[in-house]
Amino acid sequence: MLLTGERAAIGPLRRDLVPHYTRWVNDLEVRRGAAQIGLHTEDAQLRWYEEMSAASAEMHPKRAIFTVYDRRDETPVGTSSLFAVNYRMGTAHLGIGLGERRGEGLGTEATQLTARWAFEVLGLHHVSLEAADWNVAAIRAYEKAGFKLVGRRRGAMVTGGVRCDEVLMDAVAPDFT
């Protein structure tokens, strides 16, 4: 584990978890929340794992992808990521997808841990994220994790074939740490 909280932890991606990553990314609820429309085979996820692992290992990574764990029994439950990392501007975007044990507070803590990585390890100043307006549970988790509402882009997303607003949120290092 790279960072641990009271209930959740984040660690690097693992090759042996590719079947889990494949199952999660194909889960209808995860797909809907991520506005995902592509189909993912285990071979495709293996290529994703290899690309993301390599990208996360760079000296100044543009991405940092993590496996999220439930600390109660160290079960992997999802992934979180920082992407579009811009060191000059001190910014990144955050994404999270729990394939298991949603609604138990793990997403909130995993979001906090991922943001901590951005601020404390990568030295960034600003982390942003987006969520579909119907995803009230995710928005609430992000707020509990310390993210603030920035605004919304009306009709900017399509999830599950339905157009919805995109809710924009962010966190900055001084407020977060």
Side-chain angles (χ1 to χ4, degrees), residues 39 90 96 119:
L39 297 174
I96 184 168
F119 299 137

Side-chain angles (χ1 to χ4, degrees), residues 20-155:
H20 292 274
Y21 304 142
T22 305
R23 187 176 72 251
W24 299 332
V25 77
N26 285 312
D27 178 274
L28 290 178
E29 194 65 24
V30 173
R31 294 171 67 78
R32 184 171 179 239
Q36 177 63 254
I37 59 174
L39 297 174
H40 296 268
T41 64
E42 198 164 307
D43 288 342
Q45 282 306 111
L46 181 57
R47 284 190 300 280
W48 171 84
Y49 158 80
E50 290 168 349
E51 291 170 12
M52 295 304 105
S53 293
S56 295
E58 293 175 2
M59 178 65 80
H60 298 302
K62 299 282 192 262
R63 297 178 159 272
I65 317 294
F66 306 97
T67 302
V68 176
Y69 296 90
D70 185 331
R71 285 200 59 209
R72 292 176 292 190
D73 56 6
E74 297 187 357
T75 296
V77 296
T79 60
S80 66
S81 63
L82 296 165
F83 56 97
V85 176
N86 182 325
Y87 293 98
R88 181 170 179 268
M89 297 297 171
T91 61
H93 294 290
L94 186 147
I96 184 168
L98 293 187
E100 301 175 31
R101 302 182 186 183
R102 291 185 286 270
E104 298 181 24
L106 297 170
T108 297
E109 200 167 49
T111 299
Q112 290 172 326
L113 295 170
T114 306
R116 274 188 55 206
W117 189 270
F119 299 137
E120 297 173 14
V121 177
L122 300 181
L124 303 179
H125 175 75
H126 179 270
V127 175
S128 61
L129 58 82
E130 298 85 26
D133 65 350
W134 55 261
N135 199 344
V136 177
I139 293 167
R140 189 171 38 248
Y142 300 143
E143 287 173 335
K144 286 181 186 176
F147 282 74
K148 307 284 187 236
L149 178 67
V150 173
R152 65 178 50 222
R153 294 183 341 135
R154 297 177 296 157

Side-chain angles (χ1 to χ4, degrees), residues 139-174:
I139 293 167
R140 189 171 38 248
Y142 300 143
E143 287 173 335
K144 286 181 186 176
F147 282 74
K148 307 284 187 236
L149 178 67
V150 173
R152 65 178 50 222
R153 294 183 341 135
R154 297 177 296 157
M157 292 182 81
V158 176
T159 66
V162 177
R163 186 159 299 282
C164 62
D165 290 355
E166 180 180 57
V167 176
L168 309 171
M169 303 180 80
D170 72 1
V172 292

